[in-house]
Amino acid sequence: MGFSRWVFLICSLLMISPITFCCLTSKEASEIPINFLDFAKKAEFFDWMVGVRRKIHENPELGYEEFETSKLIREELDKMGIPYKHPFAVTGVVGYVGSGEPPFVALRADMDALPMQEMLEWEHKSKNPGKMHACGHDAHVAMLLGAARILQEHRQSLKGTVVLVFQPAEEGGGGAKKMIDAGAIENVKAIFGLHVNPGLPVGKVESRPGPLLAANGFFEAVISGKGGHAAIPQHSIDPILAASNVIVSLQHLVSREADPLDSQAITVGKFQGGGAFNVIPDSVTIGGTFRAFSKESFMQLRRRIEEVIVGQATVQRCNATVDFLFHEKPFYPATVNDKDLHNHFLKVAGDIVGTHNVKEMQPLMGSEDFSFFQEVMPGYFFFLGMKDGKATKPASLHSPYFKINEDGLPFGAALHASLATRFLLERNSEVPLLNQNLHDEL
Ligand SMILES: *[C@@H]1O[C@H](CO)[C@@H](O)[C@H](O)[C@H]1NC(C)=O
């Protein structure tokens, strides 16, 4: 029996057509990203994506309240004829493009906005007071819908199924974890996610293999003393002084107990207590965040934060209780990029924007709940250039003046779509290798 008959036999056993992996040359595969980009840059397509993004921008919704955003996503998927499941984790939507058969590869976007007031005056400013898409999740959704449309249009070249994951509550709510628990990504072999970067020019992307973003936890502590007259301190137990010493001691954890080469951070961002010039209050509440890259360092910080708060409060005769707010704000693991997927990204992104526009970046102490996906499967997260060409000092993420350059949208859509398409192609081209092995054995 000749090799080609073996291939045919084994393909039949695996229920795939031998044509699925032998009809695309590597040149054709490398042309996928640029073809997708051309497609996404067409005026009608671009205007549609911009329209979707602006509509979401005008109506920002907080974590687990993304009802209108979720509805808009489902309406757009309906128009494209893409089947989906809903709801996952309250508002989450999961769409499916391609053969409906394995392998499965996922693309992810987050839907939630931030509890802050938009200060930028423009035509499509947030219409919801105190809520704003200042982290670009409006663009993330628009780009994943863009990718959905590209993929649906080219579904005959998909050698498997692309799973489109629209998740709620990235900003502290751990929506990704709830999507996983609800079974949104069962059988998925790999997942890709992106984040806009308002400081990086359009047409550039950046990421790195291994640790990219830190693990993140929150804490809140109530330090109680005994209130009284400010002029008679001997009759009171002053929680303001105790809390101040607690904060100073917390700042010694990273500087004195952590390896200087193992990046960690603790910030107390909340200090509430007292309301009068001449009154010692009963208690003070402080709150903050802590970050680290390794699980060991993270858990060590967590343990020491509690010990230091309780111990230092005692020094000043106060009592303290510490809450890590696990149920409202789950700990986010570190975002760690899979090394093979990094190589995949370099190839695909290089084909679309040119290798000189694919930058390797330093890790950041920021965090992302994409990391929950990476705990259960290989995942890859990268940053996409969205810098306003005219801005000399663009507003950062989470700024009330945050602004993206919509010219970056086609790049995000095309990158998403090509990363998935090429991943499925390569997964399938692993089949002949498997055949070869079997052939040798037989
Ligand atoms: C601290 O807790 C102990 C034990 O419950 C209690 O006796 C004491 O009064 C508390 N001190 C303050 C300052 O709240």
Side-chain angles (χ1 to χ4, degrees), residues 224-226 237 317-319:
S224 3
K226 183 165 164 269
I237 298 175
R317 298 177 295 153
C318 285
N319 290 337

Side-chain angles (χ1 to χ4, degrees), residues 57-131:
H57 191 87
E58 283 180 8
N59 185 21
E61 299 172 295
L62 301 182
Y64 300 117
E65 297 171 4
E66 308 93 337
F67 297 106
E68 293 303 315
T69 310
S70 170
K71 192 163 148 239
L72 180 150
I73 290 165
R74 282 174 279 131
E75 282 167 1
E76 291 297 336
L77 292 175
D78 280 335
K79 279 189 230 162
M80 296 175 213
I82 293 178
Y84 55 81
K85 287 188 192 163
H86 162 271
F88 287 93
V90 190
T91 56
V93 181
V94 178
Y96 306 89
V97 200
S99 66
E101 301 289 324
F104 295 96
V105 63
L107 302 171
R108 172 273 206 169
D110 36 13
M111 307 186 285
D112 58 321
L114 285 160
M116 56 188 283
Q117 180 60 43
E118 177 160 19
M119 301 296 280
L120 197 69
E121 293 302 331
W122 68 302
E123 210 185 328
H124 300 281
K125 182 179 172 175
S126 165
K127 294 199 165 98
N128 300 345
K131 295 177 193 171

Side-chain angles (χ1 to χ4, degrees), residues 194-406:
L194 63 77
H195 206 294
V196 302
N197 179 349
L200 190 69
V202 169
K204 289 186 190 287
V205 290
E206 60 182 6
S207 189
R208 74 192 306 278
L212 175 70
L213 299 166
N216 175 32
F218 295 103
F219 62 93
E220 191 170 68
V222 179
I223 294 156
S224 3
K226 183 165 164 269
H229 199 295
I232 321 170
Q234 73 275 25
H235 290 170
S236 297
I237 298 175
D238 184 354
I240 289 196
L241 181 64
S244 305
N245 279 319
V246 162
I247 293 166
V248 172
S249 293
L250 286 175
Q251 289 311 326
H252 294 158
L253 290 181
V254 174
S255 75
R256 298 294 83 182
E257 297 184 20
D259 179 345
L261 293 176
D262 177 15
S263 304
Q264 300 177 28
I266 300 181
T267 293
V268 175
K270 174 176 174 178
F271 191 114
Q272 284 171 345
F277 292 133
N278 54 359
V279 177
I280 292 171
D282 268 325
S283 71
V284 166
T285 301
I286 62 168
T289 173
F290 59 108
R291 316 269 167 129
F293 280 95
S294 74
K295 213 166 216 155
E296 296 70 42
S297 303
F298 186 80
M299 293 321 284
Q300 165 78 359
L301 274 184
R302 180 195 193 282
R303 190 171 62 76
R304 289 292 291 144
I305 284 169
E306 183 157 12
E307 283 174 5
V308 164
I309 293 176
V310 172
Q312 187 61 59
T314 310
V315 171
Q316 255 100 28
R317 298 177 295 153
C318 285
N319 290 337
T321 53
V322 184
D323 184 354
F324 288 94
L325 307 167
F326 198 74
H327 293 290
E328 301 138 64
K329 298 172 186 289
F331 293 157
Y332 284 11
T335 302
V336 182
N337 278 335
D338 181 85
K339 298 205 167 61
D340 291 337
L341 294 183
H342 176 68
N343 293 332
H344 179 70
F345 174 75
L346 291 182
K347 270 188 290 177
V348 175
D351 284 340
I352 199 164
V353 293
T355 45
H356 58 290
N357 287 319
V358 184
K359 279 177 56 186
E360 181 146 332
M361 64 186 277
Q362 292 293 313
L364 299 172
M365 293 311 288
S367 67
E368 235 304 326
D369 85 345
F370 186 77
S371 54
F372 284 112
F373 295 115
Q374 291 173 320
E375 281 197 320
V376 294
M377 69 176 71
Y380 194 80
F381 196 73
F382 63 97
F383 288 89
L384 176 74
M386 283 256 168
K387 185 169 180 272
D388 181 357
K390 284 171 287 234
T392 45
K393 266 197 155 187
S396 66
L397 293 169
H398 294 210
S399 157
Y401 296 97
F402 175 72
K403 187 180 174 200
I404 60 156
N405 183 343
E406 290 166 334

